[in-house]
Amino acid sequence: MAVDLPTLSSTPNSAHHQHEDVEYEPLVADPSDSTPGTIPMGYDEQFIKPEGRSGDGLALWAAIISTAVFIVSTWAITFANHPTSLGLFFFHPILQSLAIAMFAYGILTLQPTSQARTKAAGLTRHQLAILALGVPAISLGTLAIVVRKSLQGHAHFTTWHGTIGIVSVAWMVVQIIVGAGSVWFGGRLFGGNPKAKLVWKYHRASGYFLFPVFLFAAYLGGAWSNWTAHNSPYVVRLLAFTISPVVLFAAVLARIRTSKMQFF
């Protein structure tokens, strides 16, 4: 006697498998996207465009080397000139240079990503570098110089370095609010997806304008401040605070994906 065996539904297990790695979901989910079915063998190789682009590797190395020259030179100059006598000023160049290095990494690690898994993983690295390291560092570095000037009775923002520096930090706060609001909690701050996805491209574009402002503030402080001029050779200042920032920004520009910022 033939007995019909009940078929085992794979739907619950499949759904669980599709959503177990929440870290690798897209930056902003588009509700209009249909749930993908089974991907045929070889689909990735045939239809998914490689994320790497000609020149990306060279630009990445240029960014790494220029950032290393910038931060190592800054720290070397600071530690070589009686750091214990600098008071709170000691923390300013150390923390600001660290922050710029973290901002650079945060940008570079997210730039080439275009697939859901790599975008999500890149966003995690981006947020860790910028929010967990870069923002605290630049905030404490800024606080250190503000408190030092206040304790000594010196006026604030009397130089272009100080003025541009505080403007960039204020801009950074807005940048964080817009960026976090467009991806956290499903972009609820901006009405949820897909509206929040439209905001993200403005956050990205704003970041590309803000980053060179940070670099310009570092250039003014490193290449032209009295303290640096009296405590480091000209060739070191030229290499670390003029050439390196230019190379770093050029490397970042070379890796931009304009397709991620379609405004028109």
Side-chain angles (χ1 to χ4, degrees):
M1 180 176 64
V3 178
D4 292 335
L5 296 177
T7 59
L8 298 178
S9 174
S10 62
T11 303
N13 291 334
S14 299
H16 173 73
H17 178 72
Q18 289 174 3
H19 296 286
E20 63 182 358
D21 294 330
V22 295
E23 177 184 88
Y24 295 107
E25 293 183 7
L27 280 180
V28 180
D30 188 346
S32 64
D33 291 343
S34 58
T35 303
T38 303
I39 300 177
M41 182 180 297
Y43 179 89
D44 288 356
E45 291 80 2
Q46 295 180 43
F47 299 107
I48 296 180
K49 184 178 180 180
E51 293 182 328
R53 195 173 60 182
S54 177
D56 277 355
L58 180 61
L60 179 60
W61 275 109
I64 292 172
I65 294 171
S66 58
T67 302
V69 170
F70 167 71
I71 195 170
V72 169
S73 299
T74 302
W75 286 38
I77 293 170
T78 306
F79 278 98
N81 287 282
H82 311 289
T84 56
S85 67
L86 298 176
L88 289 173
F89 176 79
F90 167 82
F91 298 100
H92 184 66
I94 294 295
L95 292 175
Q96 306 306 78
S97 59
L98 174 62
I100 288 177
M102 291 299 99
F103 293 158
Y105 173 77
I107 295 171
L108 292 167
T109 193
L110 191 56
Q111 277 184 318
T113 59
S114 63
Q115 302 166 26
R117 293 176 64 88
T118 55
K119 282 197 297 183
L123 178 64
T124 299
R125 296 190 299 269
H126 174 83
Q127 292 183 341
L128 286 174
I130 292 179
L131 297 181
L133 295 173
V135 170
I138 204 167
S139 299
L140 291 174
T142 302
L143 180 63
I145 200 67
V146 169
V147 172
R148 179 179 183 271
K149 286 197 170 190
S150 297
L151 292 176
Q152 296 182 347
H154 294 165
H156 297 283
F157 318 125
T158 57
T159 64
W160 282 112
H161 168 66
T163 302
I164 293 175
I166 199 64
V167 167
S168 63
V169 170
W171 186 348
M172 176 193 72
V173 173
V174 178
Q175 179 77 355
I176 293 171
I177 294 172
V178 174
S182 62
V183 295
W184 289 1
F185 307 107
R188 189 177 304 170
L189 181 63
F190 297 105
N193 299 326
K195 293 180 181 178
K197 187 175 183 179
L198 299 177
V199 176
W200 174 261
K201 64 183 179 182
Y202 292 99
H203 166 77
R204 181 185 294 271
S206 174
Y208 283 124
F209 284 101
L210 175 57
F211 186 61
V213 176
F214 280 128
L215 293 178
F216 188 58
Y219 157 74
L220 292 175
W224 294 99
S225 70
N226 291 330
W227 184 85
T228 312
H230 285 98
N231 291 286
S232 62
Y234 170 75
V235 64
V236 173
R237 298 197 305 276
L238 177 66
L239 183 62
F241 306 119
T242 301
I243 296 177
S244 289
V246 170
V247 172
L248 174 55
F249 185 51
V252 168
L253 288 179
R255 289 166 55 88
I256 284 181
R257 268 52 172 178
T258 55
S259 60
K260 296 184 179 184
M261 297 179 290
Q262 295 179 357
F263 297 102
F264 306 103

